[in-house]
mmCIF file of all heavy atoms in Angstrom:
data_model
loop_
_atom_site.group_PDB
_atom_site.id
_atom_site.type_symbol
_atom_site.label_atom_id
_atom_site.label_comp_id
_atom_site.label_asym_id
_atom_site.label_seq_id
_atom_site.Cartn_x
_atom_site.Cartn_y
_atom_site.Cartn_z
ATOM 1 N N CYS A 1296 -6.307 -189.677 137.360
ATOM 2 C CA CYS A 1296 -5.697 -190.147 136.103
ATOM 3 C C CYS A 1296 -5.436 -188.979 135.163
ATOM 4 O O CYS A 1296 -5.990 -188.915 134.053
ATOM 5 C CB CYS A 1296 -6.610 -191.173 135.435
ATOM 6 S SG CYS A 1296 -6.672 -192.762 136.288
ATOM 7 N N GLU A 1297 -4.602 -188.045 135.584
ATOM 8 C CA GLU A 1297 -4.225 -186.943 134.696
ATOM 9 C C GLU A 1297 -3.189 -187.436 133.701
ATOM 10 O O GLU A 1297 -2.382 -188.322 133.988
ATOM 11 C CB GLU A 1297 -3.688 -185.769 135.505
ATOM 12 C CG GLU A 1297 -4.772 -185.057 136.271
ATOM 13 C CD GLU A 1297 -4.413 -183.614 136.574
ATOM 14 O OE1 GLU A 1297 -3.770 -182.967 135.741
ATOM 15 O OE2 GLU A 1297 -4.783 -183.155 137.668
ATOM 16 N N THR A 1298 -3.187 -186.843 132.524
ATOM 17 C CA THR A 1298 -2.348 -187.323 131.425
ATOM 18 C C THR A 1298 -0.867 -187.463 131.794
ATOM 19 O O THR A 1298 -0.274 -188.522 131.567
ATOM 20 C CB THR A 1298 -2.505 -186.394 130.200
ATOM 21 O OG1 THR A 1298 -3.888 -186.269 129.886
ATOM 22 C CG2 THR A 1298 -1.766 -186.951 129.000
ATOM 23 N N PRO A 1299 -0.199 -186.423 132.346
ATOM 24 C CA PRO A 1299 1.236 -186.569 132.635
ATOM 25 C C PRO A 1299 1.537 -187.712 133.583
ATOM 26 O O PRO A 1299 2.530 -188.436 133.408
ATOM 27 C CB PRO A 1299 1.604 -185.210 133.267
ATOM 28 C CG PRO A 1299 0.559 -184.252 132.781
ATOM 29 C CD PRO A 1299 -0.688 -185.069 132.694
ATOM 30 N N ALA A 1300 0.687 -187.917 134.590
ATOM 31 C CA ALA A 1300 0.932 -188.980 135.575
ATOM 32 C C ALA A 1300 0.774 -190.361 134.958
ATOM 33 O O ALA A 1300 1.551 -191.280 135.239
ATOM 34 C CB ALA A 1300 -0.019 -188.823 136.758
ATOM 35 N N VAL A 1301 -0.233 -190.542 134.110
ATOM 36 C CA VAL A 1301 -0.459 -191.847 133.475
ATOM 37 C C VAL A 1301 0.652 -192.162 132.485
ATOM 38 O O VAL A 1301 1.137 -193.294 132.404
ATOM 39 C CB VAL A 1301 -1.837 -191.872 132.776
ATOM 40 C CG1 VAL A 1301 -2.007 -193.160 131.972
ATOM 41 C CG2 VAL A 1301 -2.954 -191.744 133.802
ATOM 42 N N LEU A 1302 1.087 -191.158 131.729
ATOM 43 C CA LEU A 1302 2.115 -191.380 130.710
ATOM 44 C C LEU A 1302 3.452 -191.832 131.306
ATOM 45 O O LEU A 1302 4.261 -192.447 130.608
ATOM 46 C CB LEU A 1302 2.323 -190.106 129.891
ATOM 47 C CG LEU A 1302 1.249 -189.813 128.839
ATOM 48 C CD1 LEU A 1302 1.499 -188.467 128.190
ATOM 49 C CD2 LEU A 1302 1.205 -190.912 127.787
ATOM 50 N N GLU A 1303 3.682 -191.528 132.558
ATOM 51 C CA GLU A 1303 4.920 -191.984 133.203
ATOM 52 C C GLU A 1303 5.002 -193.505 133.268
ATOM 53 O O GLU A 1303 6.083 -194.069 133.427
ATOM 54 C CB GLU A 1303 5.023 -191.395 134.623
ATOM 55 C CG GLU A 1303 5.277 -189.890 134.637
ATOM 56 C CD GLU A 1303 5.369 -189.341 136.055
ATOM 57 O OE1 GLU A 1303 5.321 -190.160 137.002
ATOM 58 O OE2 GLU A 1303 5.483 -188.112 136.214
ATOM 59 N N LEU A 1304 3.863 -194.187 133.131
ATOM 60 C CA LEU A 1304 3.824 -195.652 133.215
ATOM 61 C C LEU A 1304 3.876 -196.327 131.843
ATOM 62 O O LEU A 1304 3.945 -197.561 131.774
ATOM 63 C CB LEU A 1304 2.548 -196.103 133.943
ATOM 64 C CG LEU A 1304 2.290 -195.491 135.326
ATOM 65 C CD1 LEU A 1304 1.026 -196.075 135.925
ATOM 66 C CD2 LEU A 1304 3.478 -195.717 136.252
ATOM 67 N N ALA A 1305 3.810 -195.555 130.777
ATOM 68 C CA ALA A 1305 3.819 -196.146 129.434
ATOM 69 C C ALA A 1305 5.188 -196.778 129.148
ATOM 70 O O ALA A 1305 6.231 -196.170 129.405
ATOM 71 C CB ALA A 1305 3.499 -195.085 128.393
ATOM 72 N N CYS A 1306 5.168 -198.013 128.639
ATOM 73 C CA CYS A 1306 6.442 -198.674 128.354
ATOM 74 C C CYS A 1306 6.702 -198.693 126.847
ATOM 75 O O CYS A 1306 6.856 -199.759 126.227
ATOM 76 C CB CYS A 1306 6.477 -200.080 128.939
ATOM 77 S SG CYS A 1306 5.023 -201.079 128.582
#
Side-chain angles (χ1 to χ4, degrees):
C1296 289
E1297 288 205 36
T1298 307
V1301 173
L1302 283 175
E1303 290 180 5
L1304 306 182
C1306 48

